[in-house]
Amino acid sequence: IVEGKQHLHSIIHDHGVKDAMLHGLSIVNLVSGKLIVTREQGTSDMLRRSFQTIPELSLYQKRLEEYCKSPSSNLRSFSAFFKNGASRKESLTLRKIKHVIKKHMSQFTMGLSDKPDAWQQCGEFNEATGTFDFSPDKFIQPLKDRMIFQIQFQEMMAHTQLFVGYVEELQLAHEKRNDLLSGPVAKFVAQWVELHWHAKYSKYSHGLLD
């Protein structure tokens, strides 16, 4: 744990840390909330191309940011959070974030937990050492085959008339929605809501003045 910004700066720019970042090390800056991705050749590009935001996490992040605006929130100070913990609402949000992350990470172990003994298919028992030797290739290859077959199926399906018809339905629905939003009915509703909102706000304002 660093004692200040100066110490934090010295760690990030340390020659040993910079060298480690060339060989797979990534840094999570808890002060700024930023991720400094490894500069290992090939790894950084792979992470950028495969990165996808998780909508649920973005929503929970905004919720925590709202909680932090409260002066009584322990999330504003690490020492206060360490001593007193989070509030019930904050704890619930943090647990939900943990659940979303766990659910997201579990997809990378797909196949290992399908059955109690599924892991045995991803390696061999070493009689010489009496231990189980995990084989990454036996774990990855079935996943690659499954993805290739799925892409081939999607490619075939995309050339069918049924799929083309589905895309046309999406296009028509989009055009219909735009027509409704920009049509006379939508404008009438918007004008009606605006008129009544101004009237209600004006009445409320006069009541406060009285």
Side-chain angles (χ1 to χ4, degrees), residues 63-73 75-76 90:
R63 184 180 299 179
L64 286 179
E65 290 173 352
E66 289 296 323
Y67 291 153
C68 286
K69 293 180 181 179
S70 173
S72 60
S73 175
L75 298 178
R76 300 166 60 93
E90 294 168 346

